[in-house]
C-alpha cells in the first residue's frame, strides 16, 4: 500500500507517521531531536525514521513526504529562513531539497505550527469549514489561518506569529523577539510562570503546578492565570473581528489546563468580538499529537494547501 510520510520536527522530538488517505495515521515513530549535533544529524534522523517506518509495514511505499518543522520555513524554496538558538545552525538549511534527495520522493515543508493548523483545519475539528483560525498556546503562542484548505503563509512564510501582537496586559515586558509588550510574554506557559514569581509566588515545579495551586485556593496563581487567559481571549476576539472565521480552534499545552483557563479565554474572546461575530465557535482540537503529522502529509496529497509566495 502507498502512504504519505508526515513529519513533525520540533526542538526536542521528531515524530513521523505513515498517513493513509483521509488523514489516517497507520503507524508512527519518534526520536529525540539531535539539536546540538547540527542540521546534518537532524536530516539523518528524518531519513532513519522513514526507513524504520516502511520496514515496519511490509509492502508499504512512500509516495511523498510532508514536513512541519520548527523555525520560519519558506514553503516555496523549502528552506529554513530563521530558527532560534534551540536548533543551532538550522537557519539556512535546505530542508526540502535535502530530504527529497535522500528519500527520492517529492517533499513539501511548512512551519510546525502551520502543519498543526492544516491537520486540524482539513482533517480535524475544522473539517468541512471554509475559514478556520487555529491558535496554539503553550511554550509560545502561534497559529495559522486556513481558507478553503489553503494555508495563508504570508510573504516570508512567517504568518501566524500571533504571540507577537501587542497586548495591553503585557505593557512594559520585554519579548524574546526583541520587542516588548507582546501577547506571548503575558499569556504563554513560561509567561504565567514568570508572572507568578514576580508576584511573590513560591517557586513551582512548572506551569502546571500553578494551575493546581489556583484550584487549591492560591489567589496569586488564580490572578496570573486569569490575566493570561484574558489577554489571549481579547486577542482572539480581535482576530475574529479582523478575519471573520467560521471557526476558531484553540490548542497547545495550555488548552488542556482546565476550565478556569478555557472559560476565561472563551468569554473574553466573545466580549471583544463585534456583535455580529460573537457567535463564532471556539473549540479544542480533535487530532491530538497526530495533527502536525497529518497536516504535513496533507501538503503532498493536496496541491492547493499552500498559498504561493511572490518571490
Amino acid at each position: 500500500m502507498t502512504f504519505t510520510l508526515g513529519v513533525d520536527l520540533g526542538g526536542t522530538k521528531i515524530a513521523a507517521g505513515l498517513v493513509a488517505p483521509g488523514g489516517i495515521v497507520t503507524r508512527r515513530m519518534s526520536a529525540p531531536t539531535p539539536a546540538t549535533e547540527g542540521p546534518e544529524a537532524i536530516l539523518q534522523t528524518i531519513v532513519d525514521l522513514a526507513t524504520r517506518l516502511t520496514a515496519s509495514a511490509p509492502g508499504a511505499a512512500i509516495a511523498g513526504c510532508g514536513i512541519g518543522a520548527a523555525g520560519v520555513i519558506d514553503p516555496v524554496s523549502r528552506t529554513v529562513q530563521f530558527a532560534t538558538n534551540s536548533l543551532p545552525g538550522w537557519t539556512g538549511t535546505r530542508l526540502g531539497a535535502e530530504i527529497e534527495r535522500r528519500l527520492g520522493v517529492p517533499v513539501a515543508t511548512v512551519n510546525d505550527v502551520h502543519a498543526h493548523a492544516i491537520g486540524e483545519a482539513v482533517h480535524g475539528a475544522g473539517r468541512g469549514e471554509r475559514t478556520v483560525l487555529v491558535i496554539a498556546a503553550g511554550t509560545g503562542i502561534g497559529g495559522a489561518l486556513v481558507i478553503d484548505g489553503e494555508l495563508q503563509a504570508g510573504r516570508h512564510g512567517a504568518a501566524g506569529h500571533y504571540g507577537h501582537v501587542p497586548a495591553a496586559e503585557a505593557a512594559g515586558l520585554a519579548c524574546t523577539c526583541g520587542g516588548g509588550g507582546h501577547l506571548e510574554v503575558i499569556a504563554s506557559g513560561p509567561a504565567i510562570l514568570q508572572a507568578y514569581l514576580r508576584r511573590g509566588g513560591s517557586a513551582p515545579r512548572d506551569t502546571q503546578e500553578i494551575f493546581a495551586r489556583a484550584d487549591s485556593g492560591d489567589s496569586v496563581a488564580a490572578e496570573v492565570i486569569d490575566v493570561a487567559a484574558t489577554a489571549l481571549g481579547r486577542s482572539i476576539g480581535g482576530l475574529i473581528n479582523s478575519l471573520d472565521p467560521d471557526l476558531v480552534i484553540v490548542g497547545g499545552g495550555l488548552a488542556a489546563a482546565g476550565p478556569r483557563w478555557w472559560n476565561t479565554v472563551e468569554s473574553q474572546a466573545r466580549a471583544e468580538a463585534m456583535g455580529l461575530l460573537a457567535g463564532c465557535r471556539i473549540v479544542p482540537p480533535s487530532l491530538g499529537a497526530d495533527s502536525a503529522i497529518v497536516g504535513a502529509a496533507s501538503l503532498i496529497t493536496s496541491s492547493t494547501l499552500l498559498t504561493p509566495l511572490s518571490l
Side-chain angles (χ1 to χ4, degrees):
M1 183 174 179
T2 300
F3 298 93
T4 303
L5 178 68
V7 179
D8 179 9
L9 195 171
T12 59
K13 183 180 76 172
I14 301 174
L18 297 180
V19 183
I24 300 170
V25 181
T26 60
R27 292 176 185 266
R28 57 184 66 76
M29 291 183 180
S30 65
T33 302
T36 59
E37 299 176 35
E40 176 59 33
I42 294 174
L43 296 172
Q44 188 57 49
T45 300
I46 295 173
V47 173
D48 291 344
L49 285 170
T51 302
R52 288 168 53 200
L53 278 166
T54 52
S56 72
I62 296 175
C65 173
I67 304 173
V72 176
I73 312 296
D74 182 338
V76 174
S77 69
R78 302 176 300 167
T79 300
V80 181
Q81 300 295 301
F82 174 79
T84 66
N85 291 334
S86 63
L87 290 173
W90 192 233
T91 300
T93 301
R94 299 173 66 249
L95 176 60
E98 283 298 319
I99 295 300
E100 191 167 275
R101 179 177 66 81
R102 298 171 194 221
L103 292 183
V105 298
V107 174
T109 62
V110 290
N111 165 265
D112 53 350
V113 177
H114 287 172
H116 279 279
I118 294 169
E120 284 295 338
V122 177
H123 294 291
R127 189 183 186 113
E129 301 290 350
R130 180 170 181 266
T131 304
V132 180
L133 173 64
V134 180
I135 303 292
T139 303
I141 296 175
L145 180 67
V146 180
I147 301 177
D148 291 332
E150 292 185 358
L151 170 69
Q152 308 302 301
R155 171 66 176 81
H156 299 92
H161 279 78
Y162 299 131
H164 299 284
V165 299
E169 295 83 357
L173 298 176
C175 185
T176 55
C177 72
H182 292 172
L183 178 65
E184 193 164 285
V185 296
I186 196 66
S188 66
I192 291 172
L193 177 59
Q194 290 304 312
Y196 183 69
L197 295 175
R198 285 197 304 271
R199 291 291 310 280
S202 58
R205 290 187 304 273
D206 51 29
T207 303
Q208 186 175 2
E209 185 174 332
I210 298 175
F211 281 87
R213 292 182 183 182
D215 291 339
S216 298
D218 185 328
S219 60
V220 173
E223 182 176 345
V224 299
I225 291 168
D226 288 346
V227 169
T230 294
L232 179 60
R234 292 182 65 238
S235 294
I236 291 174
L239 289 169
I240 290 173
N241 291 339
S242 302
L243 303 171
D244 188 15
D246 293 304
L247 179 76
V248 179
I249 301 171
V250 181
L254 287 175
R260 173 187 297 275
W261 182 89
W262 183 272
N263 292 343
T264 301
V265 169
E266 185 172 10
S267 64
Q268 291 296 323
R270 298 200 186 286
E272 192 71 27
M274 298 185 295
L276 177 65
L277 309 179
C280 178
R281 286 191 296 140
I282 302 172
V283 302
S286 65
L287 294 179
D290 283 341
S291 59
I293 291 174
V294 171
S298 296
L299 300 173
I300 295 296
T301 57
S302 173
S303 62
T304 62
L305 279 169
L306 297 175
T307 297
L309 305 183
S310 299
L311 297 178

